Amino acid sequence: MWGIAEFTLRKAKESAFIIMFILAVLAGFMLTDTTGGALDKTFEASGLVGQLMSSREGYPILASSFSAIIFTLLLALFAGATDIPRDIESRMIMLMLSKPITRADYLIGKYIGLLALCSTIYITTQLAVYLGHYFSTGQLYPLGLMVKQFYLLLILLPFLSMIIMISCFVPDISAMVVGVFYVLFAISVSVVPILMALVTKDMERSVQTYIVESAFFILYYMFPNFIYYFQTFSTIGLIPLALVIYSISISTIFLTIGTIRLNTRDLI
Amino acid sequence: MIKLPVKGKILAILISAFVLYFYSESVLRQGAVSSIDSGKLNKDSLLSELPGALRDEVDYRITYMQLQEHIRTARTDIQKATALSNMADFIKDPAKRAELFLEVYKNYPNIPQALRAYVYFLENNSSKEKVSIADFVAYIQTLSIYDRYYALSLGFTKLRDLNVSLEKRYEFLKHLLKTKPEFREYSNMYALLADICSQLNKQEEYKLAIELEKTSLSSPMLETMYVEEMERKRKETLEADQSKQENK
């Protein structure tokens, strides 16, 4: 499993990755100058997203971190969607599976390798942002704020596992398209349960309401709620702990489904 | 240690992952909800994000909560009667509606804002309280000339909805025969009265109603009179202010 992860990480030596790496550093410096403020200021305070990002005590997400994570997620989308289908297409997978590893080990190894790769990009961009801020203002961001930005790395866990799972079912380009639609739909339903909890608190529900609510929640639980990663919360506490458990549990579900698919599909 | 088959392992992993997923999601959701200041939220934009089937019920709930807040914050009798009547008109539960109107009728019977409660209990045999036609007409007489016509129209519509007898309708309108019509709008009422009188074979009353209908048709419109009165009041206030300044 670790061998597969190491093998995946070797992509870092490829020229494309080195270019991405340089771009990430440059983008980090540029983001400091252009969007150094907190992300909550870009959303309307009367909206739910604006409230989630600004109301709680704790450190907010920086706009530069938001841009950095979007950049990283795009990389994760490309890398995650193409890696396994290409291994299958080039028969590389057969070579790897001839070693004493299971298909689950292969999948988890790929996942860990890609996670390390994408995390490197995000961390590098983030460090460049902090350095850029230091060079332009002469002072560093507060430590808590800097630590808080790294919580965004958690979003990579469900995102990568989701795209890897999809890539176990369909070829690379299709995996990217399906992945994008899946994420878009996940975003579109993300605020509804919070809203429902907010306005239907203590509400007497009719049978019809129960049916609609239940149907919605069945659908909702099929998608990770990415909005939780962007809310303002304290660096240490129940919310970050729940976020870690949430990310790991979703990733486990996705990877398990991916493993089932890989175990049952014909790789030749 | 128990050694599970592959399927068993997968099932165990999935079940525990799902349990953790549901639990952590509910913690995150509760955390998100508790962090939101609902007073700052724009209700209309939020409602538009809800599924259609839920929207009506949630909308009802929000309005209900707002009306409840109006009742809670009402200070004067007028505010209280208005808030209670608004809630009674809005609420879906008929028993609760009757209860609210009863509260208005019992506590604030002599103010114009009690009109909706009077209309609700007018000849209402299904509720605990019943307002007779005589009581309703007596209440109408306490109202201003502008409110009177509106109250009369509401009362008559209620009687028509209840499908009461012609005699009762005549009883409701007969006091108009003794008064000079103040507005042109009363012509409708006199026309109705004339129709009822002809059906009840009350010749004298019929003739009088027709005569008064003609008189009312030559009277000014309610709206015109109201605007004129407002203008007169405005002038009076201005003059009073001017005289105060001159005295100073």
Side-chain angles (χ1 to χ4, degrees):
Chain A
M1 183 175 80
W2 295 109
I4 301 290
E6 194 191 330
F7 185 75
T8 312
L9 256 177
R10 280 186 192 167
K11 280 188 176 186
K13 288 180 185 170
E14 288 174 13
S15 56
F17 183 81
I18 293 166
I19 292 168
M20 289 280 265
F21 191 81
I22 295 165
L23 275 175
V25 175
L26 288 173
F29 276 109
M30 280 160 62
L31 286 168
T32 311
D33 294 330
T34 54
T35 52
L39 186 63
D40 61 318
K41 290 181 181 65
T42 55
F43 290 91
E44 210 177 315
S46 63
L48 198 68
V49 181
Q51 279 283 308
L52 281 173
M53 287 181 179
S54 63
S55 60
R56 196 196 298 272
E57 283 179 19
Y59 293 106
I61 298 289
L62 292 171
S64 54
S65 309
F66 181 73
S67 310
I69 200 67
I70 295 295
F71 184 75
T72 313
L73 290 176
L74 281 174
L75 174 76
L77 178 73
F78 286 110
T82 54
D83 223 33
I84 294 176
R86 280 184 191 172
D87 272 1
I88 295 171
E89 207 177 300
S90 63
R91 306 275 174 90
M92 179 67 89
I93 195 168
M94 298 309 292
L95 190 70
M96 288 178 185
L97 292 176
S98 65
K99 307 287 176 192
I101 55 161
T102 61
R103 293 184 183 196
D105 290 337
Y106 165 80
L107 194 79
I108 297 165
K110 280 280 168 196
Y111 176 67
I112 294 169
L114 287 171
L115 201 61
L117 204 68
C118 295
S119 302
T120 312
I121 290 282
Y122 179 75
I123 292 166
T124 312
T125 316
Q126 225 27 67
L127 291 176
V129 167
Y130 296 161
L131 279 175
H133 181 75
Y134 179 72
F135 288 135
S136 59
T137 63
Q139 55 186 4
L140 281 171
Y141 283 118
L143 184 67
L145 182 72
M146 289 199 284
V147 174
K148 171 69 202 294
Q149 308 312 306
F150 288 110
Y151 272 110
L152 271 185
L153 273 173
L154 287 173
I155 202 171
L156 281 173
L157 268 71
F159 188 86
L160 255 177
S161 57
M162 175 267 296
I163 197 76
I164 286 177
M165 177 199 74
I166 294 170
S167 75
C168 291
F169 286 86
V170 289
D172 49 5
I173 302 291
S174 311
M176 270 188 244
V177 175
V178 174
V180 167
F181 277 105
Y182 188 85
V183 170
L184 287 177
F185 195 82
I187 292 167
S188 71
V189 295
S190 61
V191 293
V192 181
I194 302 167
L195 202 60
M196 275 158 68
L198 197 71
V199 290
T200 62
K201 203 162 44 181
D202 308 327
M203 190 176 101
E204 289 166 25
R205 292 163 167 84
S206 63
V207 178
Q208 192 201 358
T209 312
Y210 266 121
I211 294 168
V212 174
E213 262 189 295
S214 308
F216 174 77
F217 272 100
I218 290 169
L219 182 76
Y220 166 73
Y221 280 124
M222 291 178 186
F223 301 89
N225 194 337
F226 293 112
I227 205 156
Y228 291 142
Y229 295 90
F230 296 98
Q231 59 179 320
T232 300
F233 54 81
S234 303
T235 320
I236 299 164
L238 184 63
I239 300 293
L241 179 69
L243 203 61
V244 172
I245 298 171
Y246 182 70
S247 310
I248 295 171
S249 57
I250 301 180
S251 308
T252 310
I253 294 165
F254 282 143
L255 290 176
T256 311
I257 297 168
T259 306
I260 295 168
R261 172 64 184 155
L262 215 56
N263 278 336
T264 52
R265 76 174 279 183
D266 190 1
L267 297 174
I268 302 168
Chain B
M1 200 176 150
I2 305 163
K3 200 167 182 185
L4 289 167
V6 178
K7 279 184 183 172
K9 274 183 194 170
I10 288 176
L11 201 66
I13 291 169
L14 273 179
I15 289 170
S16 40
F18 268 110
V19 169
L20 286 172
Y21 170 51
F22 292 137
Y23 182 71
S24 57
E25 199 279 335
S26 89
V27 171
L28 287 169
R29 186 156 20 110
Q30 282 168 26
V33 171
S34 66
S35 74
I36 291 166
D37 181 359
S38 54
K40 285 183 184 170
L41 292 172
N42 180 344
K43 296 275 189 303
D44 290 338
S45 67
L46 295 183
L47 280 175
S48 66
E49 290 183 52
L50 279 175
L54 269 177
R55 206 174 299 145
D56 292 343
E57 199 147 349
V58 172
D59 194 20
Y60 174 82
R61 181 70 188 174
I62 290 173
T63 315
Y64 179 86
M65 281 157 69
Q66 284 170 341
L67 290 172
Q68 235 175 4
E69 184 65 11
H70 289 168
I71 293 173
R72 201 181 61 77
T73 54
R75 292 285 169 266
T76 63
D77 284 357
I78 289 173
Q79 286 173 345
K80 283 174 189 170
T82 308
L84 286 166
S85 299
N86 285 346
M87 177 62 102
D89 274 340
F90 175 75
I91 206 158
K92 287 175 186 170
D93 181 6
K96 187 81 184 156
R97 179 179 297 137
E99 205 177 292
L100 288 161
F101 274 135
L102 190 65
E103 200 179 331
V104 177
Y105 179 67
K106 292 278 183 200
N107 298 328
Y108 320 102
N110 301 319
I111 58 172
Q113 284 71 21
L115 174 63
R116 280 182 279 173
Y118 271 93
V119 173
Y120 180 78
F121 290 118
L122 177 63
E123 290 295 302
N124 192 340
N125 294 319
S126 59
S127 65
K128 286 180 199 168
E129 196 68 43
K130 181 182 168 181
V131 172
S132 66
I133 288 173
D135 287 343
F136 191 87
V137 171
Y139 169 72
I140 284 178
Q141 301 309 317
T142 66
L143 302 176
S144 73
I145 55 165
Y146 303 107
D147 291 334
R148 218 176 288 160
Y149 175 76
Y150 175 63
L152 202 65
S153 306
L154 278 184
F156 192 78
T157 309
K158 173 74 188 289
L159 291 180
R160 205 159 41 189
D161 290 345
L162 290 172
N163 206 15
V164 297
S165 63
L166 281 174
E167 282 79 7
K168 283 200 169 179
R169 292 184 199 198
Y170 173 72
E171 192 190 337
F172 185 79
L173 294 175
K174 72 177 180 189
H175 72 280
L176 290 176
L177 295 171
K178 294 171 191 164
T179 53
K180 188 177 171 287
E182 289 136 339
F183 316 119
R184 193 176 301 174
E185 280 81 354
Y186 273 110
S187 60
N188 295 329
M189 288 292 165
Y190 285 109
L192 280 168
L193 186 57
D195 185 43
I196 293 165
C197 289
S198 75
Q199 288 185 63
L200 292 173
N201 205 17
K202 292 180 185 288
Q203 294 302 318
E204 289 300 310
E205 288 83 354
Y206 170 79
K207 280 176 192 167
L208 190 56
I210 293 291
E211 208 170 293
L212 287 165
E213 186 190 356
K214 282 176 190 164
T215 316
S216 62
L217 282 170
S218 58
S219 306
M221 297 283 284
L222 188 150
E223 199 183 328
T224 317
M225 274 191 73
Y226 186 74
V227 170
E228 278 173 1
E229 190 174 320
M230 288 295 112
E231 186 62 24
R232 187 175 50 80
K233 277 185 182 170
R234 196 181 66 82
K235 276 180 184 169
E236 277 173 9
T237 320
L238 269 174
E239 280 168 10
D241 287 347
Q242 275 176 351
S243 63
K244 265 183 191 176
Q245 279 180 345
E246 280 168 12
N247 288 338
K248 274 182 186 174

